[in-house]
Amino acid sequence: MPTILVTWWCWFIWSHTAVALLEDGYDLVIVDNLSNSEIWVLDSIDELSWKPVVYDSVDIRDEEWLSSIFSTHSIHAVIHFAWIKAVWESCEFPFRYYDNNIVGTINLLKAMDRYQVKKLIFSSSATVYDSLSQKSPYSEQSLTGYCTNPYWTTKFVIEQLLRDIWMRRGSDIIALRYFNPIWAHPSWLIWENPQWVPNNIFPYLMKVASGEYDEFTIFGDDYDTPDGTWIRDYIHVVDLANAHLAALKKVLSSKTWFTSVNIWTWTWTSVLEMIQIVQKCIGAEIPYKVWARRPWDISESVASVAKAKSYLDRESKLSVKEAAQDWRNYLQA
Ligand code: UD1
């Protein structure tokens, strides 16, 4: 089976993808700088997949070290997850974001070029779409490029770099554009557990559910929605992991050139509905307060899922109800 290099900086999506790949028989080489992850996740992956992985503690900004990974292992393709992603932090520390996300990616592309590795899956984001000059739903052909913060800029810039590399080097690259991955593997041996205060809804709710935090804060209840709280398309992380697997198969088996694919579910849940779902799972109240809107929250974002169906033969299958049931089973076990 082909050997896949997985770059990792934040272990939520990558760990679920690793399990999907290992279960499908791929060999994995994983590099991470452990900046927002913990090494024990490798044991959980081993427990779930029964397959060893090669791991090296590499910061992808270290060009030499990264190169040594390619010289030691025969890599057939790369799945690139090594990015940092907190919007507010990127506004405070823009250079940290350019350095981690853009410089790191350039090093990776240089190493791939040196070792003639031409297949890449990139974790992109629906935030690359230009929400100023057009209305969603976005298709993959919609304009990209209106970025309101440095984190989104890094995703946009990297997509441009990948387009250049495809044109100059004839690579096969798929950028998966997604927005809100949540939930966890049904075993709950892996889940999103950031080392710092979570920025995103689900890990924060989990910490309130477990009693680690006293209450949840709803950012805005004056939106033009049925319950006033904002609505998102939340994708189950296992579905998202399987989309990475499907994209990998595609680049390994065909000429894709550079292409992007939206990975969404086409279902919407408000913040209050999410709180109610979590309450049902844990059988207890989630205390919450209402606070002002976050300045960067975009007013609307919907992306078409047609290409994921036709091009990758993928549909998001796991419903919120099933995911909630998994969690309830785990909590009651
Ligand atoms: C954010 C980023 C996106 C990033 C994604 C995954 C924006 C607009 N987008 O998406 O770039 O790729 O995270 O990391 O910032 N909410 C609360 N209280 C909380 C946390 C969230 O009410 O403590 C609400 C938000 O206002 C939003 C929804 O929950 O309506 C989802 O928020 P979040 O999980 O942060 O994801 P996004 O903002 O959609």
Side-chain angles (χ1 to χ4, degrees), residues 164-220:
D164 286 345
I165 295 302
W166 150 64
M167 277 196 266
R168 305 296 153 208
R169 293 290 193 265
S171 314
D172 295 306
I173 301 172
I174 299 181
L176 298 180
R177 293 176 177 162
Y178 44 82
F179 209 154
N180 294 79
I182 62 165
W183 300 111
H185 189 272
S187 66
W188 282 82
L189 280 172
I190 45 179
W191 73 97
E192 183 168 19
N193 188 17
Q195 289 191 343
W196 323 110
V197 177
N199 294 296
N200 300 117
I201 186 168
F202 197 66
Y204 206 106
L205 278 173
M206 281 179 65
K207 287 191 187 286
V208 179
S210 69
E212 195 177 328
Y213 295 160
D214 292 339
E215 64 179 359
F216 181 77
T217 305
I218 295 177
F219 296 125

Side-chain angles (χ1 to χ4, degrees), residues 43-319:
D43 295 333
S44 300
I45 288 170
D46 187 40
E47 200 174 330
L48 290 169
S49 63
W50 292 64
K51 204 173 166 200
V53 297
V54 175
Y55 168 76
D56 207 333
S57 170
V58 176
D59 188 319
I60 60 167
R61 287 167 298 171
D62 185 334
E63 215 178 324
E64 231 173 87
W65 202 348
L66 187 60
S67 242
S68 73
I69 296 289
F70 282 86
S71 61
T72 314
H73 306 280
S74 171
I75 306 288
H76 296 90
V78 177
I79 305 189
H80 182 31
F81 287 110
W83 78 93
I84 46 176
K85 66 172 180 87
V87 173
W88 71 267
E89 186 193 42
S90 79
C91 297
E92 291 279 311
F93 307 104
F95 294 109
R96 185 183 294 173
Y97 273 68
Y98 303 149
D99 189 37
N100 281 313
N101 296 3
I102 299 178
V103 174
T105 301
I106 291 172
N107 282 344
L108 177 67
L109 293 174
K110 284 204 276 198
M112 288 175 68
D113 196 41
R114 201 168 306 132
Y115 291 91
Q116 291 290 300
V117 179
K118 289 177 180 283
K119 311 273 182 184
L120 173 70
I121 309 298
F122 173 58
S123 283
S124 191
S125 168
T127 55
V128 297
Y129 288 117
D130 178 346
S131 58
L132 190 65
S133 61
Q134 62 197 345
K135 283 222 163 288
S136 67
Y138 305 119
S139 81
E140 289 79 358
Q141 278 77 45
S142 298
L143 284 178
T144 57
Y146 172 68
C147 307
T148 55
N149 59 75
Y151 164 56
W152 294 3
T153 302
T154 64
K155 289 273 170 177
F156 170 70
V157 168
I158 292 169
E159 279 210 10
Q160 300 308 303
L161 297 178
L162 296 181
R163 252 177 245 276
D164 286 345
I165 295 302
W166 150 64
M167 277 196 266
R168 305 296 153 208
R169 293 290 193 265
S171 314
D172 295 306
I173 301 172
I174 299 181
L176 298 180
R177 293 176 177 162
Y178 44 82
F179 209 154
N180 294 79
I182 62 165
W183 300 111
H185 189 272
S187 66
W188 282 82
L189 280 172
I190 45 179
W191 73 97
E192 183 168 19
N193 188 17
Q195 289 191 343
W196 323 110
V197 177
N199 294 296
N200 300 117
I201 186 168
F202 197 66
Y204 206 106
L205 278 173
M206 281 179 65
K207 287 191 187 286
V208 179
S210 69
E212 195 177 328
Y213 295 160
D214 292 339
E215 64 179 359
F216 181 77
T217 305
I218 295 177
F219 296 125
D221 68 348
D222 54 353
Y223 285 99
D224 185 16
T225 59
D227 66 22
T229 66
W230 202 229
I231 285 173
R232 290 280 194 262
D233 182 319
Y234 294 97
I235 185 165
H236 196 298
V237 64
V238 172
D239 266 335
L240 187 55
N242 287 327
H244 285 84
L245 177 62
L248 177 68
K249 288 184 173 176
K250 192 84 181 178
V251 289
L252 287 173
S253 64
S254 58
K255 284 294 319 158
T256 64
W257 311 111
F258 174 87
T259 195
S260 54
V261 184
N262 295 327
I263 305 293
W264 286 54
T265 70
W266 206 256
T267 55
W268 292 271
T269 311
S270 74
V271 177
L272 263 179
E273 283 169 335
M274 193 54 85
I275 292 174
Q276 282 151 12
I277 291 164
V278 170
Q279 287 182 158
K280 265 200 164 169
C281 291
I282 63 169
E285 287 283 305
I286 292 280
Y288 64 81
K289 64 171 185 257
V290 177
W291 203 249
R293 296 178 182 195
R294 298 184 301 190
W296 61 82
D297 267 332
I298 49 178
S299 59
E300 184 189 89
S301 190
V302 178
S304 142
V305 291
K307 185 170 174 187
K309 280 188 204 159
S310 61
Y311 188 73
L312 293 181
D313 194 20
R314 273 241 33 98
E315 253 181 290
S316 300
K317 295 192 185 111
L318 294 162
S319 69

